Amino acid sequence: MIGRRGVTSVVVGFLLAPSRLLAQRSERIRRIGVLMDQPESATSRERLGLFRDTIKALGWDEGRNLSLEVYWGATSLQSARPLATSLIASHYDVVLATGSPAVSALIENGASVPIVFTNVIDPIAQGFASSLARPGGRISGFTTFEFGVNAKHVEGMTEIFPGLGRLWGR
């Protein structure tokens, strides 16, 4: 699992890409839309605070060169759809989406901005990415679990315990 610095690096990479291509750094305000898969609470604000702290440490200051707008409560596809519609209408430079319902709603609504996702299990099976190594398109992110690793886990267990007959159950 990749931590908050990894997510921040990808989001910042999307923000800097046009400036790097033009070999100049613009002081225009970059806009990040955040679609959270949780209702607003002390825990979810703390989670987002870690992202804000890391962005700030990289030189992105809200109000000076960054605008960060958060949409809370994309806990299901039904609740995510109106939030995604509103977010898309606001024309962000990049969107950070947490959870599968948020990403699905953005895709359904025809989001044309880069989307960085977190907290998505099996983005390939869900159609968010063509592969983990090369996701393709404008969607990239971090998954908390990769199913291909399971085979390696089973292989390792059978090497450690050669007489192992079953891994689960009785």
Side-chain angles (χ1 to χ4, degrees):
M1 186 167 110
I2 298 176
R4 64 184 164 91
R5 292 193 189 279
V7 172
T8 303
S9 297
V10 172
V11 172
V12 169
F14 277 115
L15 293 174
L16 290 177
S19 297
R20 286 186 181 149
L21 291 174
L22 297 173
Q24 65 184 17
R25 179 150 179 177
S26 171
E27 276 300 315
R28 81 173 181 89
I29 294 179
R30 305 297 179 145
R31 300 182 69 226
I32 300 175
V34 181
L35 186 52
M36 296 289 287
D37 63 348
Q38 301 173 4
E40 187 173 8
S41 68
T43 303
S44 59
R45 282 190 307 271
E46 181 180 333
R47 183 174 161 201
L48 186 63
L50 295 172
F51 176 72
R52 280 187 158 122
D53 292 346
T54 304
I55 287 276
K56 187 172 179 92
L58 293 171
W60 293 93
D61 296 314
E62 287 185 72
R64 183 177 60 84
N65 59 2
L66 180 71
S67 170
L68 186 78
E69 294 181 44
V70 183
Y71 297 74
W72 299 96
T75 57
S76 68
L77 188 54
Q78 185 177 1
S79 63
R81 283 180 176 133
L83 296 170
T85 300
S86 179
L87 191 145
I88 290 167
S90 296
H91 305 290
Y92 293 97
D93 294 303
V94 63
V95 173
L96 172 60
T98 63
S100 297
V103 179
S104 293
L106 289 165
I107 292 169
E108 275 185 11
N109 278 289
S112 59
V113 299
I115 299 169
V116 178
F117 62 79
T118 64
N119 298 339
V120 169
I121 297 173
D122 203 359
I124 297 167
Q126 293 184 62
F128 301 156
S130 55
S131 78
L132 293 178
R134 296 195 188 331
R138 67 188 186 299
I139 302 173
S140 187
F142 303 94
T143 182
T144 54
F145 186 77
E146 201 280 302
F147 290 96
V149 174
N150 272 348
K152 291 292 183 186
H153 289 175
V154 171
E155 186 180 309
M157 292 295 288
T158 56
E159 285 181 19
I160 294 169
F161 305 105
L164 189 64
R166 292 179 72 159
L167 292 177
W168 293 275
R170 294 180 184 207

